Amino acid sequence: MSLHHYLGFRRLVGETLKYIAEINGKWVALIGWGTAAFKNRHRDRWIAWTPEQQWSRLKYIANNQRFLILPGVRVRNLASKTLSLNLKRLAADWEAVYGHSLLLAETFIDRSRFNGACYLAANWTPLGVSCGYGRTGGRYFYHGQPKLILVYPLRKDACRLLRAPFCVPEQKGANVIMNFKGITKEQTAGLLSYLAQIADPRKKRGIRHSQLSILAIAVGAVLSGCRSFSAIGEWAGDLSQRLLKRLGCRRNASGQYIPPSEPTLRRTLQSVNPDEVDRAIGLWLLSQQSGEALAVDGKTLRGTIDSNGKGVHLIAAFLHKEGIVAAQTQVDKKSNEITAVKPLLDPLDLEGKVVTLDAMHTQTETARYIKKEKKGDYVLFVKGNQPGLLKDLKDLDEDFFSP
């Protein structure tokens, strides 16, 4: 690819897969797939999705970033046949590697070099011509070479799934946790009971909407994919009278339930204690799942900085399979993750659950706390930071581990 493709080859962008096509053991073609283009007005108009949907579901589209028929290979219809065979297995391969499937494939054809005949023969759909801009290092630049845009749905209902109001089961690995409009009365009641425990910092005079209803609406909007105050306000405005009643919204003089406005949502959410909200939502989400394994891990948040010029460091407990964060807390700048484990796990019910932690947390007190106080089990890793314990484990006879 590096020698014979006109773009050369250093690396593909984002999540990638590379394929080699063979005939009787001889290489005849190379194909490279990567992350879809962030902006593609023809594609986005064709799908008819919102910017919020595009942001969260772009991973379900793959871009054919490289395709090369090797020099000296002359086989009739080889290019279109290779593409067709590759597309039949692409979604399954992607899911096996990255944990989520694909719904759509896209590519860009330099019309000064190719006419895209092999893609058209493989039933790709042309959408239009780009404006001649490229993106590198997060910035756009004009290169003056408009390209033909083609797409290929990997499912007949690909567009419907990409622009659906909620992520559906076919979109494996989706960021949205649940279709909030489909939860039961029991689930709603459980959520409200957790949110009711959060203190209301507002002065009583002039309050029109309860903090409980505002928090419930905000949680529902975020679980449904909203990423801004404006989106939360729009989501609230679209709720039915039945849901507004279920979420505890106020009624006007004519008996209609009224959602809080975007400014009301913004002011209330900015005034409430974020740690209390995070703890309440985490406990509610944990109650909705049946996961029995929790992982504890710490990360420094990208793009954050505190008064000392250091990034904000969080430690979180999340369900292994579902990836749902059950609890998280900020690590004190004068301490470390080891001392933060106990306050992190304190509000969680660990009975019958297994907690996994990395080698940093292989501490006697941590193990005792999980087993004795929280009635849970643990899996701890032993590495070179505990040389004595590591040696003792290596010296154990294999029969020691036999049932």
Side-chain angles (χ1 to χ4, degrees), residues 148-195:
L148 178 64
I149 301 167
L150 300 103
V151 295
Y152 184 90
L154 299 175
R155 292 175 54 111
K156 291 182 179 180
D157 55 353
C159 283
R160 181 185 66 81
L161 295 177
L162 288 170
R163 63 170 179 258
F166 300 96
C167 286
V168 293
E170 287 86 345
Q171 293 170 262
K172 296 183 178 180
N175 293 327
V176 176
I177 297 172
M178 64 179 66
N179 179 343
F180 191 80
K181 293 185 178 180
I183 68 172
T184 65
K185 291 183 179 180
E186 292 74 18
Q187 287 175 305
T188 308
L191 170 63
L192 295 178
S193 67
Y194 282 107
L195 296 179

Side-chain angles (χ1 to χ4, degrees), residues 331-385:
V331 178
D332 191 289
K333 59 184 178 181
K334 296 181 180 179
S335 183
N336 55 40
E337 289 185 20
I338 296 175
T339 57
V341 169
K342 186 174 181 179
L344 172 72
L345 298 178
D346 264 340
L348 303 181
D349 179 11
L350 299 182
E351 188 170 356
K353 291 182 170 59
V354 179
V355 182
T356 63
L357 306 99
D358 60 28
M360 176 193 298
H361 299 288
T362 304
Q363 308 287 333
T364 302
E365 177 57 27
T366 299
R368 185 202 64 78
Y369 168 75
I370 295 173
K371 188 67 178 178
K372 300 297 184 182
E373 295 188 30
K374 302 298 292 182
K375 309 300 180 183
D377 294 302
Y378 55 82
V379 174
L380 300 174
F381 290 85
V382 180
K383 294 184 178 180
N385 62 326

Side-chain angles (χ1 to χ4, degrees), residues 206-220:
I207 291 179
R208 300 182 64 196
H209 296 274
S210 69
Q211 176 180 274
L212 180 58
S213 65
I214 292 173
L215 292 176
I217 286 175
V219 172

Side-chain angles (χ1 to χ4, degrees), residues 315-328:
I315 184 171
F318 55 92
L319 294 174
H320 273 251
K321 183 178 179 180
E322 294 83 356
I324 295 175
V325 176
Q328 63 181 352

Side-chain angles (χ1 to χ4, degrees), residues 180 183 185 187-202 207-221 232 235-236 239 243-250 258-260 264-265 267-269 271-273 276-277 280-281 284:
F180 191 80
I183 68 172
K185 291 183 179 180
Q187 287 175 305
T188 308
L191 170 63
L192 295 178
S193 67
Y194 282 107
L195 296 179
Q197 302 173 18
I198 300 172
D200 190 344
R202 301 176 298 171
I207 291 179
R208 300 182 64 196
H209 296 274
S210 69
Q211 176 180 274
L212 180 58
S213 65
I214 292 173
L215 292 176
I217 286 175
V219 172
I232 294 173
W235 188 87
L239 291 177
L243 271 176
L244 290 174
K245 177 182 178 180
R246 186 185 296 184
L247 297 177
C249 293
R250 63 182 290 269
I258 305 173
T264 299
L265 287 161
R267 287 193 301 268
T268 304
L269 295 176
S271 65
V272 75
N273 187 322
E276 291 186 32
V277 176
I281 296 173
W284 176 69

Side-chain angles (χ1 to χ4, degrees), residues 57-71:
R57 302 176 188 179
L58 196 64
K59 66 180 182 180
Y60 300 112
I61 304 176
N63 188 295
N64 182 208
Q65 299 179 3
R66 294 290 190 277
F67 184 26
L68 174 68
I69 302 297
L70 292 172

